[in-house]
mmCIF file of all heavy atoms in Angstrom:
data_model
loop_
_atom_site.group_PDB
_atom_site.id
_atom_site.type_symbol
_atom_site.label_atom_id
_atom_site.label_comp_id
_atom_site.label_asym_id
_atom_site.label_seq_id
_atom_site.Cartn_x
_atom_site.Cartn_y
_atom_site.Cartn_z
ATOM 1 N N ASP N 111 -14.679 42.430 33.212
ATOM 2 C CA ASP N 111 -14.064 41.811 32.041
ATOM 3 C C ASP N 111 -15.035 40.931 31.270
ATOM 4 O O ASP N 111 -15.001 40.868 30.040
ATOM 5 C CB ASP N 111 -12.839 40.961 32.445
ATOM 6 C CG ASP N 111 -11.719 41.827 32.979
ATOM 7 O OD1 ASP N 111 -11.910 42.474 34.021
ATOM 8 O OD2 ASP N 111 -10.646 41.863 32.350
ATOM 9 N N HIS N 138 -7.675 38.950 29.982
ATOM 10 C CA HIS N 138 -8.318 39.285 31.267
ATOM 11 C C HIS N 138 -7.313 39.955 32.207
ATOM 12 O O HIS N 138 -6.185 39.526 32.330
ATOM 13 C CB HIS N 138 -8.871 38.004 31.922
ATOM 14 C CG HIS N 138 -9.877 38.284 32.984
ATOM 15 N ND1 HIS N 138 -9.575 38.933 34.165
ATOM 16 C CD2 HIS N 138 -11.203 38.035 33.045
ATOM 17 C CE1 HIS N 138 -10.661 39.059 34.890
ATOM 18 N NE2 HIS N 138 -11.673 38.526 34.236
ATOM 19 N N ALA N 139 -7.777 40.997 32.879
ATOM 20 C CA ALA N 139 -6.898 41.759 33.774
ATOM 21 C C ALA N 139 -6.535 40.944 35.028
ATOM 22 O O ALA N 139 -7.197 39.983 35.387
ATOM 23 C CB ALA N 139 -7.596 43.055 34.171
ATOM 24 N N GLU N 140 -5.417 41.406 35.627
ATOM 25 C CA GLU N 140 -4.959 40.792 36.884
ATOM 26 C C GLU N 140 -5.233 41.824 37.970
ATOM 27 O O GLU N 140 -4.634 42.896 37.972
ATOM 28 C CB GLU N 140 -3.457 40.528 36.764
ATOM 29 C CG GLU N 140 -2.804 39.920 37.975
ATOM 30 C CD GLU N 140 -1.282 39.882 37.811
ATOM 31 O OE1 GLU N 140 -0.624 40.910 38.077
ATOM 32 O OE2 GLU N 140 -0.768 38.842 37.407
ATOM 33 N N TYR N 141 -6.121 41.508 38.914
ATOM 34 C CA TYR N 141 -6.491 42.527 39.899
ATOM 35 C C TYR N 141 -5.687 42.399 41.184
ATOM 36 O O TYR N 141 -5.555 43.363 41.927
ATOM 37 C CB TYR N 141 -7.998 42.479 40.166
ATOM 38 C CG TYR N 141 -8.775 42.893 38.941
ATOM 39 C CD1 TYR N 141 -9.287 41.946 38.056
ATOM 40 C CD2 TYR N 141 -8.952 44.233 38.639
ATOM 41 C CE1 TYR N 141 -9.968 42.332 36.915
ATOM 42 C CE2 TYR N 141 -9.631 44.628 37.502
ATOM 43 C CZ TYR N 141 -10.135 43.661 36.639
ATOM 44 O OH TYR N 141 -10.793 44.045 35.517
ATOM 45 N N CYS N 142 -5.160 41.196 41.428
ATOM 46 C CA CYS N 142 -4.367 41.005 42.647
ATOM 47 C C CYS N 142 -3.344 39.932 42.348
ATOM 48 O O CYS N 142 -3.695 38.760 42.139
ATOM 49 C CB CYS N 142 -5.286 40.582 43.791
ATOM 50 S SG CYS N 142 -4.389 40.024 45.229
ATOM 51 N N ARG N 143 -2.074 40.331 42.252
ATOM 52 C CA ARG N 143 -1.048 39.393 41.792
ATOM 53 C C ARG N 143 -0.825 38.237 42.774
ATOM 54 O O ARG N 143 -0.556 37.115 42.365
ATOM 55 C CB ARG N 143 0.261 40.135 41.529
ATOM 56 C CG ARG N 143 1.267 39.289 40.769
ATOM 57 C CD ARG N 143 2.250 40.113 40.007
ATOM 58 N NE ARG N 143 3.247 39.235 39.379
ATOM 59 C CZ ARG N 143 3.108 38.707 38.185
ATOM 60 N NH1 ARG N 143 2.016 38.913 37.495
ATOM 61 N NH2 ARG N 143 4.058 37.937 37.682
ATOM 62 N N ASP N 146 -4.368 35.734 42.549
ATOM 63 C CA ASP N 146 -4.947 36.038 41.240
ATOM 64 C C ASP N 146 -5.992 34.991 40.873
ATOM 65 O O ASP N 146 -5.679 33.934 40.350
ATOM 66 C CB ASP N 146 -3.823 36.095 40.198
ATOM 67 C CG ASP N 146 -4.352 36.463 38.839
ATOM 68 O OD1 ASP N 146 -5.532 36.829 38.729
ATOM 69 O OD2 ASP N 146 -3.563 36.402 37.875
ATOM 70 N N TYR N 148 -8.024 35.028 38.555
ATOM 71 C CA TYR N 148 -8.268 34.911 37.128
ATOM 72 C C TYR N 148 -7.116 34.239 36.377
ATOM 73 O O TYR N 148 -7.144 34.150 35.154
ATOM 74 C CB TYR N 148 -8.542 36.292 36.524
ATOM 75 C CG TYR N 148 -9.727 36.983 37.157
ATOM 76 C CD1 TYR N 148 -9.571 38.118 37.946
ATOM 77 C CD2 TYR N 148 -11.009 36.476 36.976
ATOM 78 C CE1 TYR N 148 -10.668 38.745 38.523
ATOM 79 C CE2 TYR N 148 -12.105 37.085 37.552
ATOM 80 C CZ TYR N 148 -11.926 38.215 38.326
ATOM 81 O OH TYR N 148 -13.010 38.831 38.897
ATOM 82 N N LEU N 149 -6.082 33.811 37.114
ATOM 83 C CA LEU N 149 -4.908 33.248 36.446
ATOM 84 C C LEU N 149 -5.268 32.069 35.528
ATOM 85 O O LEU N 149 -4.832 32.049 34.364
ATOM 86 C CB LEU N 149 -3.845 32.852 37.493
ATOM 87 C CG LEU N 149 -2.562 32.250 36.937
ATOM 88 C CD1 LEU N 149 -1.888 33.198 35.960
ATOM 89 C CD2 LEU N 149 -1.577 31.906 38.074
ATOM 90 N N ARG N 152 -6.750 33.395 32.376
ATOM 91 C CA ARG N 152 -5.778 34.087 31.534
ATOM 92 C C ARG N 152 -4.845 33.105 30.833
ATOM 93 O O ARG N 152 -4.463 33.296 29.694
ATOM 94 C CB ARG N 152 -4.983 35.120 32.345
ATOM 95 C CG ARG N 152 -4.414 36.220 31.442
ATOM 96 C CD ARG N 152 -3.705 37.310 32.209
ATOM 97 N NE ARG N 152 -4.463 37.770 33.334
ATOM 98 C CZ ARG N 152 -4.209 37.451 34.603
ATOM 99 N NH1 ARG N 152 -3.163 36.704 34.899
ATOM 100 N NH2 ARG N 152 -4.971 37.903 35.576
ATOM 101 N N ASN N 180 -1.825 41.641 29.698
ATOM 102 C CA ASN N 180 -1.995 41.559 31.155
ATOM 103 C C ASN N 180 -1.113 40.485 31.786
ATOM 104 O O ASN N 180 -1.523 39.824 32.745
ATOM 105 C CB ASN N 180 -3.475 41.336 31.491
ATOM 106 C CG ASN N 180 -4.218 42.658 31.641
ATOM 107 O OD1 ASN N 180 -3.731 43.548 32.339
ATOM 108 N ND2 ASN N 180 -5.347 42.794 30.990
ATOM 109 N N MET N 181 0.068 40.278 31.216
ATOM 110 C CA MET N 181 1.010 39.312 31.774
ATOM 111 C C MET N 181 2.384 39.960 31.835
ATOM 112 O O MET N 181 2.782 40.647 30.886
ATOM 113 C CB MET N 181 1.082 38.069 30.877
ATOM 114 C CG MET N 181 -0.245 37.333 30.779
ATOM 115 S SD MET N 181 -0.149 35.755 29.889
ATOM 116 C CE MET N 181 -0.063 36.309 28.197
ATOM 117 N N HIS N 182 3.089 39.732 32.914
ATOM 118 C CA HIS N 182 4.488 40.180 33.027
ATOM 119 C C HIS N 182 5.333 39.307 32.084
ATOM 120 O O HIS N 182 4.961 38.163 31.796
ATOM 121 C CB HIS N 182 4.973 40.028 34.468
ATOM 122 C CG HIS N 182 4.233 40.884 35.456
ATOM 123 N ND1 HIS N 182 4.824 41.431 36.562
ATOM 124 C CD2 HIS N 182 2.945 41.301 35.487
ATOM 125 C CE1 HIS N 182 3.934 42.131 37.245
ATOM 126 N NE2 HIS N 182 2.782 42.053 36.622
ATOM 127 N N ASP N 185 5.762 35.610 32.958
ATOM 128 C CA ASP N 185 4.581 34.833 33.370
ATOM 129 C C ASP N 185 4.415 33.622 32.456
ATOM 130 O O ASP N 185 4.813 33.641 31.293
ATOM 131 C CB ASP N 185 3.325 35.710 33.316
ATOM 132 C CG ASP N 185 3.226 36.637 34.536
ATOM 133 O OD1 ASP N 185 4.139 36.584 35.374
ATOM 134 O OD2 ASP N 185 2.257 37.419 34.612
ATOM 135 N N GLU N 227 -1.829 49.852 43.523
ATOM 136 C CA GLU N 227 -1.614 48.584 42.805
ATOM 137 C C GLU N 227 -0.146 48.416 42.372
ATOM 138 O O GLU N 227 0.308 47.315 42.101
ATOM 139 C CB GLU N 227 -2.510 48.524 41.557
ATOM 140 C CG GLU N 227 -3.934 48.113 41.887
ATOM 141 C CD GLU N 227 -4.842 48.170 40.679
ATOM 142 O OE1 GLU N 227 -4.331 48.297 39.545
ATOM 143 O OE2 GLU N 227 -6.076 48.079 40.870
ATOM 144 N N PHE N 231 5.878 47.273 42.538
ATOM 145 C CA PHE N 231 6.654 47.435 41.298
ATOM 146 C C PHE N 231 6.999 48.904 41.117
ATOM 147 O O PHE N 231 6.380 49.604 40.312
ATOM 148 C CB PHE N 231 5.841 46.915 40.095
ATOM 149 C CG PHE N 231 5.360 45.510 40.279
ATOM 150 C CD1 PHE N 231 4.054 45.250 40.683
ATOM 151 C CD2 PHE N 231 6.219 44.450 40.080
ATOM 152 C CE1 PHE N 231 3.614 43.954 40.877
ATOM 153 C CE2 PHE N 231 5.778 43.144 40.259
ATOM 154 C CZ PHE N 231 4.477 42.906 40.667
ATOM 155 N N ILE N 235 5.393 47.983 35.417
ATOM 156 C CA ILE N 235 5.367 46.620 34.856
ATOM 157 C C ILE N 235 5.158 46.703 33.345
ATOM 158 O O ILE N 235 4.661 47.695 32.815
ATOM 159 C CB ILE N 235 4.245 45.734 35.484
ATOM 160 C CG1 ILE N 235 2.891 46.443 35.400
ATOM 161 C CG2 ILE N 235 4.577 45.377 36.913
ATOM 162 C CD1 ILE N 235 1.724 45.611 35.923
#
Side-chain angles (χ1 to χ4, degrees):
Chain N
D111 293 63
H138 198 294
E140 179 188 83
Y141 294 96
C142 169
R143 193 155 176 88
D146 183 7
Y148 301 112
L149 180 57
R152 203 176 313 104
N180 271 312
M181 298 187 284
H182 296 213
D185 282 0
E227 280 175 12
F231 306 99
I235 53 176

